[in-house]
Amino acid sequence: MDNLTPQHLFSPSKARQQRAQAADWAQIDSWLSYKYAGRTVPTFERNEETLKVLRELSLANERADEERIVAERVEREACKELEADEAARNPEHVRIIETIKDHLTPDGQEALRALAATAVALDTPSPDPETLAHALVAHTSASQTLANNIAHIQTLQTYLDTQQSLLRVQLNHLQSNPAFSAPPSLQRQTTEQTRQTKHIRAKIREYEDRLSSLEKSHARTAPTPASKNVSSAEAIVDMLEQQTALNALRQKVERLEKEVDEYAGLPADREAARKEVARLEVELDNMRRRRDALFEGLVG
């Protein structure tokens, strides 16, 4: 607070910054006094860089102290567990083990220590050789699998590094090659196309307005089904339906004309036409008989 100047009184942000720095320096002074335990703290220059370094150092020291406290707590708990296990051991079993150790040869003691170390390393509940063998096989298989995975990842990383290098080369080529750079007239062309687009849009709106006016005028002058919007889907569907009906009617007329052509030359009166048809039928029968007689004469 002693470092506050009259200018800081008129700048709240600078005043807050000065108060924060004063609080940090007070914390650093307290931490240094605790670390030196009554000894004189060395003098040093008080600036922002020194404050930053001392603050980081105090935080790292606090983290180290916390980790050390946790490690000491874990060690004490492990010692208590070992002491509890040692107290819970059967004295008879302890005596038997000590007797066995005393009667073992140096090679046997070494083998026993190797067996115990192997059981501890493999984290097996029993020093049985078969159990140790299964655990060793499982650990070996897991180790081999991890080694293969690591080799595969390293190969993949090498491939990715190679591809990255190639991509960087291609990117450098694209950035440095004049063929891939924008032409100088691109801005002018873009401006011209934008102007043409605006002009075309204005023309489209003008034509749409004209078309709408024509449709309204046509609807007022001819209020018939044909006065629908010629550009609408409904009008197109109606036109297609009318065209289909017209084609069907034309086919029907052509069929009727063919049927009428068969009766060409008959009188217009119905009775006279019937008599003419009867006369023609009699004539047709006579001709059939003559044909049959001629056919029989040819066969005889």
Side-chain angles (χ1 to χ4, degrees):
M1 296 299 289
D2 296 337
N3 296 329
L4 290 176
T5 61
Q7 290 78 9
H8 294 157
L9 297 177
F10 299 97
S11 178
S13 60
K14 291 184 178 180
R16 285 194 297 269
Q17 184 179 2
Q18 285 293 112
R19 287 195 296 269
Q21 288 182 358
D24 291 340
W25 276 118
Q27 183 180 0
I28 294 298
D29 291 338
S30 176
W31 174 68
L32 290 175
S33 300
Y34 172 75
K35 288 298 179 181
Y36 278 89
R39 292 175 296 173
T40 303
V41 178
T43 58
F44 52 87
E45 184 179 358
R46 293 177 177 266
N47 52 33
E48 293 183 359
E49 295 181 357
T50 306
L51 178 61
K52 180 180 178 182
V53 173
L54 290 175
R55 189 186 301 115
E56 294 177 355
L57 182 60
S58 64
L59 292 176
N61 186 261
E62 290 177 0
R63 288 194 298 268
D65 291 340
E66 292 176 356
E67 293 177 357
R68 179 177 53 80
I69 292 172
V70 172
E72 290 177 355
R73 185 183 303 112
V74 171
E75 185 176 357
R76 286 195 300 269
E77 292 177 356
C79 291
K80 290 180 180 179
E81 291 180 359
L82 291 175
E83 292 175 357
D85 292 340
E86 189 69 22
R89 295 175 62 184
N90 192 341
E92 185 65 23
H93 293 170
V94 175
R95 187 183 62 80
I96 294 173
I97 293 175
E98 294 297 333
T99 303
I100 293 173
K101 287 183 179 180
D102 294 339
H103 290 79
L104 285 176
T105 61
D107 293 338
Q109 292 180 359
E110 185 65 25
L112 182 61
R113 282 193 296 269
L115 183 62
T118 304
V120 172
L122 295 177
D123 193 17
T124 55
S126 174
D128 182 61
E130 185 176 357
T131 304
L132 294 177
H134 285 294
L136 184 60
V137 170
H139 281 277
T140 304
S141 177
S143 176
Q144 186 64 33
T145 302
L146 293 175
N148 293 336
N149 292 336
I150 292 173
H152 177 70
I153 292 173
Q154 290 176 349
T155 303
L156 182 61
Q157 183 178 2
T158 304
Y159 173 76
L160 292 176
D161 292 339
T162 304
Q163 293 298 321
Q164 184 181 10
S165 301
L166 293 177
L167 290 176
R168 289 185 180 278
V169 172
Q170 293 178 2
L171 179 61
N172 187 20
H173 177 67
L174 292 175
Q175 292 176 347
S176 59
N177 193 349
F180 298 101
S181 61
S185 61
L186 179 61
Q187 185 176 2
R188 182 176 56 81
Q189 293 177 0
T190 304
T191 305
E192 181 66 20
Q193 291 177 358
T194 304
R195 187 185 63 79
Q196 293 178 0
T197 303
K198 292 181 180 179
H199 179 69
I200 292 173
R201 286 178 179 175
K203 287 292 185 181
I204 289 174
R205 287 194 293 268
E206 180 182 352
Y207 292 150
E208 287 178 350
D209 294 338
R210 290 184 181 181
L211 181 60
S212 178
S213 300
L214 291 174
E215 289 175 354
K216 291 179 180 179
S217 176
H218 188 269
R220 286 195 300 268
T221 56
T224 60
S227 64
K228 296 180 180 178
N229 186 0
V230 296
S231 62
S232 63
E234 183 179 359
I236 294 174
V237 172
D238 291 341
M239 291 174 61
L240 292 176
E241 292 179 352
Q242 292 176 6
Q243 183 68 28
T244 303
L246 182 61
N247 293 334
L249 183 61
R250 183 182 293 109
Q251 293 177 0
K252 185 176 181 180
V253 170
E254 291 176 356
R255 186 172 62 255
L256 291 175
E257 287 178 350
K258 290 181 180 179
E259 293 179 358
V260 171
D261 290 340
E262 294 178 357
Y263 297 97
L266 292 177
D269 184 62
R270 186 191 310 179
E271 295 298 330
R274 287 179 178 178
K275 290 179 181 180
E276 183 66 22
V277 170
R279 187 184 65 79
L280 293 174
E281 289 179 351
V282 172
E283 185 178 353
L284 180 61
D285 291 338
N286 293 331
M287 294 180 70
R288 285 177 178 173
R289 284 194 294 271
R290 288 179 60 187
R291 184 194 64 184
D292 294 340
L294 291 173
F295 181 75
E296 289 177 357
L298 291 173
V299 174

